[in-house]
Amino acid sequence: DSHVQYERVGADVTMKCGSMDWDAAVTWTANGTDIDDSHLNGSYLILKNVDLSQSGQYSCYEGSSWHLKYQTYLRVGTPPKEPVLMCRSNNYPKGFYCSWHLPTPTYIPNTFNISVIHGTKDMVCEKDAIPKNRCHIRYLQLFSTVKYKVTLTVTNALGKNFTTLTFDEFAIVKPDPPESVVAKPVPNNPRRLEVSWQNPSSWPDPESFPLKFFLRYRPLILDQWQHVELSDGTSHTITDAYAGKEYIIQVAAKDNDIGTWSDWSVAVHATPWTEEPKHLTTEAQITETTSASTSSFMAPPTTKICDKGAVVGSGAVAVCWTAGLVVAAYSVLFI
Amino acid sequence: MAAADSPSAALRRRDLCSRGIRLAGKMRADVVDLLDTYVEQQGLDASATVAAVEGVPLAAVERWDEQTGTQRLLENLAAYRAFRALLAQMLEEQREQLGEADAGLGRALAAVLLQVSAFAYHLEELLRLESRGIPGEEGDGPPPPPRLSLFEQKLRGLGVLRELAQWAVRSARDLRQLAKPSAATGTAPGLAESP
């Protein structure tokens, strides 16, 4: 006989050699390796306080003939803990999906069963082929105040567990992040960056269900983000960028009326346009160049000490930026 | 129907729809705020489940995307007329129960009632634009309610406000459907059909 035997981590396991008597002479093997007699009680194999490494194929042979009398595959594992369940609508108003996972592995096979109830009506959550731990539901009704109740039960040979989520239609609406985010400098504008993006492709009808957007940006060398909320359109021009500084920019989306913000998009980097540096040969030319730099808001020579290569530490950056801010503010007066 | 399809009518429709969408958005925001106030001042549990109440128009709809424009306008109008009567009733009950002690809630209710009335009128304008007859109001009010206990009145009020908040979202969506550019050609989601 060959079968599978599931046991909990830490359990004591006794294996009988099929129908052999207790006092029969037998040899046990684990994955083809003989097991020491110290683990035997007569013909019974005793495994105390089993751990995961003891999973494997156990075979029992009659002493003299070496006939295989019994074989089992021992799977050591744990009963399932409460599963983690998440439901979300990233394609409103078509439907929503639920996905799940176990917080810790059980090391043995698990079966998941999901039920969805809307009021008194049972709904079918169709399992996705990929990933396996996901199913989706089409909305049969829209604008309902009746909540959805989703129960996920996980079962394995050692036990079962479940979790329940209750939510209303609007609460789980969360689009995917905007796509194809592009940021470009604006020629002859050292403080501007032009950002554009597209609606997430999973959002089925942006015309009827428009999205609004949240854009955040900061120079790489600063931690604080600037934020802009945009109620329509898929582009925005940043007009207060620090000249010559590389920026990191991200965008998030939300349905205009309901639900929550998407995750941030993939970050894009861009540096505002800067004037080509002029070749300096005489003092007169240096003076001329400095005046021209001020009128076009180009960072003055003092900004050079802010360049990455020259910065020694965070204190230097703070001083550096303070000087730059003072000059930038002064320059703005000459608009 | 020719008048309803003219370029000027299409522009007027889009203008009315845009303003209606803004009205619905403002109304929803105010209803959500009112809900918070109502729950707190009435001593209710915000997560309480309220069974469907007779006379309260449900925003829930099946095959919403298949509705014609006329259906959308008529269902919206019927709903907001019903809410107008329900909110007036709630306001009266508030005054009877609490008099001046709850003036803030009363004012908030009155403000929402005003918005609901304005929105109903807006919908009537849209229906007139489509050369649709405006349905009479006789059958739109809720039936005379059975005498409810104070607690039942409070729960009904909660149900009314929740459903109104849903309707405000639905109405914005409905108006966006109506405002779609294809509507100007008369081939759009259902404005060509007769009621």
Side-chain angles (χ1 to χ4, degrees), chain A residues 29-311:
Chain A
T29 64
N31 297 322
T33 303
D34 287 7
I35 297 175
D36 187 74
D37 286 352
S38 62
H39 293 283
L40 300 185
N41 176 357
S43 64
Y44 298 174
L45 174 63
I46 312 293
L47 301 174
K48 286 192 174 293
N49 191 24
V50 293
D51 62 40
L52 295 172
S53 66
Q54 287 172 290
S55 294
Q57 190 172 65
Y58 289 79
S59 307
C60 178
Y61 300 91
E62 189 177 14
S64 52
S65 67
W66 276 92
H67 285 152
L68 178 65
K69 289 297 183 181
Y70 178 75
Q71 194 169 63
T72 187
Y73 199 95
L74 176 66
R75 302 282 303 262
V76 180
T78 60
K81 289 201 163 88
E82 185 178 333
V84 178
L85 175 66
M86 182 273 292
C87 295
R88 177 178 158 221
S89 175
N90 66 338
N91 62 345
Y92 189 81
K94 278 193 175 172
F96 65 92
Y97 72 87
C98 294
S99 64
W100 55 87
H101 66 272
L102 288 173
T104 54
T106 62
Y107 304 100
I108 59 176
N110 305 295
T111 306
F112 294 90
N113 190 23
I114 193 162
S115 77
V116 182
I117 300 172
H118 184 218
T120 55
K121 192 172 181 177
D122 282 325
M123 301 180 77
V124 175
C125 197
E126 295 177 34
K127 290 260 178 94
D128 289 345
I130 299 169
K132 288 191 303 181
N133 62 333
R134 201 160 108 160
C135 68
H136 62 273
I137 282 198
R138 293 187 69 84
Y139 280 124
L140 299 178
Q141 271 189 346
L142 291 180
F143 313 111
S144 173
T145 52
V146 175
K147 289 186 188 292
Y148 290 83
K149 183 176 169 184
V150 180
T151 301
L152 175 73
T153 304
V154 54
T155 307
N156 69 20
L158 301 176
K160 69 195 289 184
N161 214 321
F162 74 97
T163 190
T164 297
L165 269 188
T166 304
F167 52 85
D168 63 52
E169 177 189 319
F170 292 172
I172 62 166
V173 175
K174 178 180 174 181
D176 288 329
E179 296 174 3
S180 306
V181 182
V182 173
K184 295 188 293 192
V186 178
N188 302 304
N189 279 280
R191 302 202 67 193
R192 293 190 173 214
L193 288 169
E194 211 165 70
V195 188
S196 64
W197 57 90
Q198 289 179 4
N199 289 310
S201 51
S202 52
W203 196 251
D205 188 3
E207 195 180 348
S208 302
F209 296 83
L211 296 172
K212 59 182 176 183
F213 301 97
F214 216 83
L215 187 145
R216 70 175 185 180
Y217 58 96
R218 64 174 173 86
L220 278 184
I221 57 174
L222 288 185
D223 289 331
Q224 193 158 10
W225 294 95
Q226 297 281 93
H227 293 97
V228 180
E229 184 166 334
L230 304 154
S231 57
D232 55 21
T234 53
S235 64
H236 177 71
T237 302
I238 296 167
T239 58
D240 61 351
Y242 292 120
K245 298 304 164 193
E246 184 179 354
Y247 272 74
I248 180 169
I249 298 145
Q250 289 178 292
V251 191
K254 180 184 170 300
D255 177 88
N256 221 41
D257 302 311
I258 61 175
T260 58
W261 287 98
S262 72
D263 293 340
W264 291 106
S265 69
V266 170
V268 295
H269 294 240
T271 304
W273 174 90
T274 51
E275 192 172 351
E276 285 290 324
K278 292 195 173 98
H279 182 61
L280 306 174
T281 53
T282 65
E283 198 173 309
Q285 283 174 317
I286 289 169
T287 306
E288 194 179 279
T289 303
T290 304
S291 303
S293 298
T294 303
S295 65
S296 64
F297 306 106
M298 185 176 165
T302 51
T303 305
K304 284 184 184 172
I305 64 173
C306 299
D307 289 345
K308 274 186 182 175
V311 169

Side-chain angles (χ1 to χ4, degrees), chain B residues 5 7 16 31 44 52 54 59 75 79 98 115 122-123 134 150 156 158 161 187:
Chain B
D5 296 340
L16 280 173
V31 171
L44 296 171
E54 191 179 344
E75 287 188 17
L98 298 157
Q115 290 181 64
H122 206 80
L123 293 166
I134 311 294
L150 180 58
R156 188 186 64 196
L158 181 61
L161 294 177
T187 57

Side-chain angles (χ1 to χ4, degrees), chain B residues 79-124:
Chain B
Y80 285 95
R81 281 175 169 176
F83 279 119
R84 190 168 55 197
L86 287 163
L87 287 170
Q89 188 179 358
M90 280 174 68
L91 200 52
E92 191 53 40
E93 286 167 357
Q94 278 300 110
R95 287 175 183 147
E96 282 173 9
Q97 290 160 24
L98 298 157
E100 290 306 310
D102 212 359
L105 181 58
R107 277 196 299 272
L109 268 170
V112 167
L113 173 55
L114 201 57
Q115 290 181 64
V116 164
S117 298
F119 197 74
Y121 179 75
H122 206 80
L123 293 166
E124 289 172 359

